[in-house]
Amino acid sequence: MTPQALHANWTAAWRALGVAAPDDALWLELQRRYSEPQRHYHTMQHLGECLAWFDQEQALAEHPGEVALALWFHDAIYDVQARDNEARSADWARQALQAAGVDAVAADRVHALVMATRHDAVPEGRDAELLIDIDLSILGAGRARFDEYERQVHAEYGFVPEEIRLPRRRAILQRFLDRPAIYATPRLHALLETRARENLQRSIAAA
């Protein structure tokens, strides 16, 4: 997405929650976080791809502003050696929303949406399903983009010895492949499910 499209998405999300967008310091800080040097996949490229999908599919959301802001914050904290990135990102999101005047119920829902990106349970509710489908849209990307994604993920975990990293990666991908369906929303399932399964099978066979 262009900087203008990103900013339009950002301001529209806050407006949908009934408040004005905070000053640009928060928006710029999030972009700075997504540009940190340890990131190779969880970058502005990934965020932009997620927001582009959201712009296309936002009619599926019950609370579109909340889904959009959950996407903005879902990888805001990303330490490749930490296990609490989603929790810290979710806490930041809730604090930022409440500071901007968003009511606590909506802020808590955004917190829950960010926590759903741990991918440790089947998402519940339309907004969580849409958010997770968008976060996993990379699995159903075209071959060249999927292969780039795989290289980017391996680069992020390059500090892990290959004999440990490759089996772990195969296991993660196999868990997605073992699901009855990777995508929960009918539209993204129709668009991405078959290609995602082909990508995953090819990656597991090559690792």
Side-chain angles (χ1 to χ4, degrees), residues 140-207:
R143 182 171 183 144
R145 176 64 185 112
F146 179 84
D147 289 349
E148 180 188 34
Y149 152 71
E150 284 284 270
R151 292 191 298 271
Q152 290 169 335
V153 170
H154 283 291
E156 285 185 345
Y157 289 88
F159 64 92
V160 180
E162 191 172 272
E163 63 271 19
I164 297 173
R165 174 165 39 89
L166 294 183
R168 284 181 180 175
R169 183 64 181 163
R170 283 196 298 270
I172 290 169
L173 297 184
Q174 187 65 51
R175 285 199 292 271
F176 286 116
L177 198 56
D178 288 344
R179 293 182 178 185
I182 297 169
Y183 300 101
T185 58
R187 178 168 161 78
L188 271 75
H189 185 278
L191 289 171
L192 300 174
E193 185 81 19
T194 297
R195 192 161 56 202
R197 292 187 174 276
E198 292 171 351
N199 283 333
L200 291 171
Q201 290 166 347
R202 182 167 53 84
S203 182
I204 290 168

Side-chain angles (χ1 to χ4, degrees), residues 4-23:
Q4 294 82 3
L6 286 169
H7 198 266
N9 176 288
W10 173 255
T11 56
W14 291 97
R15 188 166 57 248
L17 270 63
V19 299
D23 64 46

Side-chain angles (χ1 to χ4, degrees), residues 3-138:
Q4 294 82 3
L6 286 169
H7 198 266
N9 176 288
W10 173 255
T11 56
W14 291 97
R15 188 166 57 248
L17 270 63
V19 299
D23 64 46
D24 281 351
L26 177 60
W27 182 63
L28 293 171
E29 176 62 11
L30 282 168
Q31 291 183 77
R32 187 191 71 78
R33 294 295 185 109
Y34 280 95
S35 302
E36 291 167 334
Q38 80 276 13
R39 299 175 185 244
H40 297 270
Y41 171 64
H42 296 87
T43 63
M44 287 299 299
Q45 179 187 22
H46 168 57
L47 177 62
E49 288 169 343
C50 286
L51 294 173
W53 272 108
F54 172 77
D55 280 353
Q56 182 176 309
E57 306 297 335
Q58 62 180 296
L60 299 176
E62 289 185 283
H63 306 97
E66 294 173 16
V67 177
L69 287 173
L71 286 169
W72 272 97
F73 280 95
H74 81 287
D75 287 321
I77 304 293
Y78 191 71
D79 176 351
V80 292
Q81 300 192 53
R83 296 180 178 272
D84 62 348
N85 290 320
E86 293 87 359
R88 292 166 64 199
S89 297
D91 288 348
W92 186 9
R94 181 163 56 192
Q95 180 275 326
L97 266 67
Q98 290 181 327
V102 175
D103 71 80
V105 173
D108 284 346
R109 283 197 298 259
V110 172
H111 186 280
L113 287 173
V114 175
M115 291 299 287
T117 64
R118 291 179 298 179
H119 303 294
D120 59 353
V122 176
E124 296 183 4
R126 284 171 53 189
D127 286 350
E129 289 177 348
L130 178 60
L131 178 83
I132 298 309
D133 278 4
I134 288 173
D135 193 28
L136 296 179
S137 62
I138 188 65

